[in-house]
């Protein structure tokens, strides 16, 4: 008799979701689904607000990656005002985004995922968390906390708040970095770099032990999409959009966010509030693509900084070329933190970051604007329509986690088919299914504009549709 296993909530991710695993009569996995079950409707209640408030408002979508929405919104405002941001404003925005990438990736690696790597997939779930990591390896845990603190403090020094800084605005930013802030960043960079080097070395040692996870945690062909800069260099703030396939072939290059509706579609399914974006020329669901650190490392030609370029080459050597396993998201995050620290080191010596010429001011010159930026989890689009007074008429936001939705569902199904055989599912196997989602570091608060911590509900559903087993975790 077929049955369904439901994992609800999924743990150690940002947001609320559940996983359903469908078994056939023989007890083998037939399909699996990742359901996002919360909805907040952020796009709708932005209507009627002044365009100038949108950066501050949309930053409140999420407490983990508020800077991502702050910058994407400000860039959309740049388009509506038809202004060129002063060099100081752009460089300061870049520095804040690099701080955001550092703190978010550090949170994902050290707090959310490393308990699996270091404590074991089958370890006691009561201690398989950051507190268990602190008990097992206090030096590593402390270093990870301080690395995240470095990124958060960069944000705070620029925007006056670690979370929800109302600092980036249409036309630029409100204020430069102080000399005191510059000195603090300069002094803390060596410690942050040392922590990152330790984490990279540790993960590369562990990687050889995780060959099964590499082969089963979302190893499949797909497209990869993200921003690249001039000459194909790794980019996180500006540039143009590029698609590559799993063989490294160029699918599309030089794309503008202004034309996203020509090459990106958004499908919906009745069992999830999270949309299913896809690459339009291939249709749905064949147009599956991935975004985020894995995609950015796959599509760029080089990182653009010395140490990160060396690590990118080793990353590709270990992956055998294009990294098609979603397990490599963890590795890619560490390479991106390295690139972020190197670029912060360059920017902190740039005289423009203390310049007071940080903002261009103008009125409403366009009634529509589309802004794009790379959030830690992937490419983020904001699209606003306004009236002549700058009042918002319509908002569409395409979130990185949503763009990974097809890939996350495929990853969950692949892991479940490999590990689950029969009606009873041990905790360690369920944790591996969850870990497939954690590899993407999804932020469901952003993707459905919902808030809160994610509990986990897993159901095992038989072929008759009856729930034969289920697990609840609060």
């Amino acid at each position: 008799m077929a049955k369904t296993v439901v994992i609800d909530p999924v743990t150690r991710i940002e947001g609320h979701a559940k996983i359903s695993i469908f078994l056939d009569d023989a007890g083998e996995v037939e399909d699996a689904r990742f359901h996002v079950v919360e909805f907040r409707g952020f796009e709708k209640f932005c209507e009627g607000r002044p365009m100038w408030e949108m950066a501050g408002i949309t930053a409140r979508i999420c407490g983990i990656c508020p800077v991502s929405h702050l910058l994407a919104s400000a860039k959309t405002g740049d388009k509506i005002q038809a202004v060129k941001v002063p060099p100081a404003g752009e460089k300061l925005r870049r520095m804040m985004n690099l701080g955001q990438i550092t703190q978010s990736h550090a949170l994902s690696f050290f707090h959310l995922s490393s308990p699996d790597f270091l404590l074991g997939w089958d370890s006691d779930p009561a201690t398989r968390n950051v507190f268990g990591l602190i008990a097992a390896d206090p030096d590593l845990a402390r270093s990870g906390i301080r690395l995240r603190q470095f990124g958060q403090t960069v944000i705070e020094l620029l925007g006056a708040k670690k979370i929800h800084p109302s600092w980036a605005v249409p036309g630029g930013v409100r204020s430069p970095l102080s000399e005191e802030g510059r000195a603090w960043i300069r002094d803390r960079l060596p410690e942050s770099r040392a922590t990152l080097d330790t984490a990279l070395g540790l993960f590369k040692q562990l990687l050889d032990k995780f060959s099964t996870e590499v082969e089963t945690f979302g190893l499949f062909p797909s497209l990869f999409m993200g921003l690249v800069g001039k000459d194909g260099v790794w980019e996180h703030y500006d540039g143009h959009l590029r698609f590559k396939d799993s063989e490294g072939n160029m699918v599309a290059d030089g794309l503008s966010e202004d034309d996203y509706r020509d090459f990106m579609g958004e499908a919906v399914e009745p069992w999830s509030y999270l949309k299913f974006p896809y690459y339009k020329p291939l249709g749905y669901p064949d147009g599956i693509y991935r975004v985020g650190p894995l995609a950015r490392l796959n599509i760029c030609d080089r990182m653009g900084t010395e140490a990160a370029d060396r690590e990118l080459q080793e990353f590709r050597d270990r992956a055998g070329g294009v990294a098609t396993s979603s397990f490599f998201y963890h590795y890619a995050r560490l390479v991106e933190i390295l690139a972020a620290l190197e670029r912060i080191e360059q920017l902190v010596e740039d005289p423009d970051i203390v310049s007071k010429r940080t903002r261009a001011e103008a009125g409403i010159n366009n009634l529509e604007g589309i802004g794009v930026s790379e959030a830690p989890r992937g490419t983020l689009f904001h699209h606003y329509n306004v009236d002549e007074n700058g009042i918002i008429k319509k908002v569409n936001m395409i979130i990185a986690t949503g763009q990974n939705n097809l890939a996350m569902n495929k990853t969950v199904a692949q892991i479940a088919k490999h590990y689950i055989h029969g009606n009873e599912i041990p905790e360690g196997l369920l944790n591996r299914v969850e870990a497939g989602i954690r590899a993407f570091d999804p932020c469901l608060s952003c993707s459905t504009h919902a808030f809160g911590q994610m509990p986990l509900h897993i159901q095992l559903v038989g072929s008759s549709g009856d729930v034969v087993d289920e697990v609840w975790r609060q």
Side-chain angles (χ1 to χ4, degrees):
M1 186 182 221
K3 64 179 183 178
T4 302
V5 177
V6 175
I7 305 175
D8 187 3
V10 178
T11 58
R12 283 187 278 139
I13 66 173
E14 296 95 11
H16 294 262
K18 72 176 185 179
I19 294 169
S20 295
I21 302 168
F22 300 88
L23 303 182
D24 61 19
D25 290 334
E28 297 299 312
V29 174
E30 191 172 72
D31 195 11
R33 290 175 179 175
F34 177 61
H35 311 262
V36 179
V37 295
E38 297 291 334
F39 183 71
R40 198 159 132 214
F42 216 96
E43 293 164 326
K44 192 65 179 176
F45 66 66
C46 285
E47 294 176 7
R49 306 299 302 181
M51 181 274 295
W52 294 273
E53 294 182 356
M54 288 297 288
I57 290 173
T58 57
R60 267 77 181 169
I61 290 174
C62 178
I64 301 298
C65 45
V67 169
S68 305
H69 290 284
L70 183 74
L71 296 180
S73 182
K75 291 184 71 178
T76 307
D78 299 342
K79 295 273 192 75
I80 290 173
Q81 292 189 157
V83 295
K84 180 176 175 58
V85 177
E90 178 179 333
K91 291 174 183 178
L92 288 161
R93 284 182 180 181
R94 285 180 173 275
M95 179 176 275
M96 181 175 273
N97 204 36
L98 293 167
Q100 165 72 0
I101 289 170
T102 299
Q103 73 87 13
S104 181
H105 283 357
L107 172 67
S108 174
F109 183 82
F110 288 97
H111 294 63
L112 303 182
S113 294
S114 67
D116 292 326
F117 309 147
L118 301 176
L119 304 180
W121 309 99
D122 302 298
S123 58
D124 184 354
T127 58
R128 193 178 58 227
N129 49 47
V130 68
F131 299 106
L133 182 63
I134 290 171
D137 193 338
D139 290 339
L140 180 67
R142 190 180 299 112
S143 296
I145 291 169
R146 284 181 64 81
L147 179 59
R148 186 184 182 217
Q149 180 193 54
F150 172 79
Q152 288 181 304
T153 304
V154 169
I155 295 168
E156 184 180 29
L157 290 170
L158 291 167
K161 293 181 179 180
K162 288 184 174 74
I163 302 173
H164 308 319
S166 298
W167 173 76
V169 292
V173 301
R174 295 186 186 277
S175 58
L177 181 67
S178 68
E179 286 291 354
E180 294 79 8
R182 180 189 235 176
W184 186 92
I185 293 170
R186 188 186 288 123
D187 290 344
R188 277 288 295 272
L189 271 167
E191 178 192 341
S192 299
R193 175 65 183 273
T195 297
L196 186 278
D197 290 343
T198 298
L200 258 174
L202 176 62
F203 187 78
K204 286 188 285 190
Q205 288 177 8
L206 293 170
L207 197 56
D208 294 335
K209 301 178 182 179
F210 293 139
S211 58
T212 300
E213 286 75 18
V214 169
E215 293 171 2
T216 57
F217 279 41
L219 179 64
F220 51 78
S222 75
L223 301 183
F224 298 94
M225 189 271 280
L227 290 171
V228 292
K230 185 178 180 182
D231 300 324
V233 71
W234 178 81
E235 182 57 81
H236 63 98
Y237 170 79
D238 209 353
H240 63 266
L241 294 162
R242 169 183 284 183
F243 283 86
K244 280 189 173 183
D245 67 16
S246 56
E247 301 296 323
N249 300 311
M250 194 74 71
V251 175
D253 198 14
L255 299 175
S256 169
E257 67 273 15
D258 295 334
D259 304 318
Y260 80 91
R261 289 161 293 188
D262 294 338
F263 54 85
M264 290 174 61
E266 294 183 89
V268 295
E269 295 286 357
W271 42 268
S272 180
Y273 280 123
L274 187 56
K275 295 177 183 178
F276 292 77
Y278 60 95
Y279 181 60
K280 263 188 178 179
L282 296 182
Y284 177 80
D286 293 339
I288 178 175
Y289 65 95
R290 283 176 270 189
V291 297
L294 183 74
R296 289 190 288 258
L297 265 60
N298 279 336
I299 65 168
C300 74
D301 296 331
R302 56 192 175 87
M303 299 300 293
T305 54
E306 184 178 356
D309 276 333
R310 289 196 302 269
E311 290 295 340
L312 175 63
Q313 185 57 56
E314 184 173 352
F315 173 89
R316 290 175 171 171
D317 290 343
R318 287 175 175 268
V322 176
T324 57
S325 172
S326 296
F327 191 79
F328 270 81
Y329 267 101
H330 303 297
Y331 192 176
R333 286 187 189 96
L334 296 177
V335 177
E336 286 202 321
I337 294 175
L338 175 58
L341 294 176
E342 287 188 294
R343 292 195 180 203
I344 290 173
E345 187 174 18
Q346 293 171 353
L347 281 169
V348 80
E349 304 302 336
D350 192 312
D352 278 339
I353 63 170
V354 292
S355 168
K356 291 182 169 54
R357 295 186 177 88
T358 62
R359 181 180 183 183
E361 299 194 36
I364 302 300
N365 292 306
N366 292 310
L367 300 183
E368 181 179 26
I370 301 169
V372 65
S373 185
E374 286 290 341
R377 290 153 187 84
T379 318
L380 171 64
F381 296 82
H382 278 217
H383 182 182
Y384 306 159
N385 293 92
V386 302
D387 66 15
E388 295 288 349
N389 297 311
I391 302 302
I392 295 289
K393 296 172 64 178
K394 185 178 180 182
V395 173
N396 186 39
M397 290 180 280
I398 303 180
I399 312 299
T401 294
Q403 293 173 77
N404 279 330
N405 198 8
L406 280 169
M408 288 191 293
N409 275 273
K410 194 164 185 175
T411 295
V412 166
Q414 187 180 71
I415 296 171
K417 288 177 181 178
H418 180 82
Y419 285 103
I420 296 176
H421 307 282
N423 294 344
E424 294 185 4
I425 306 173
E427 161 65 32
L429 299 189
L430 293 181
N431 183 42
R432 286 173 173 82
V433 175
E434 288 187 65
I437 295 298
R438 284 194 290 272
F440 291 88
D441 190 26
C443 188
L444 306 181
S445 300
C446 288
S447 58
T448 63
H449 322 308
F451 66 94
Q453 295 299 315
M454 176 174 254
L456 178 65
H457 179 198
I458 299 185
Q459 286 183 333
L460 194 59
V461 179
S463 57
S464 65
D466 296 330
V467 175
V468 296
D469 191 17
E470 58 185 328
V471 176
W472 294 84
R473 186 180 303 149
Q474 297 301 327

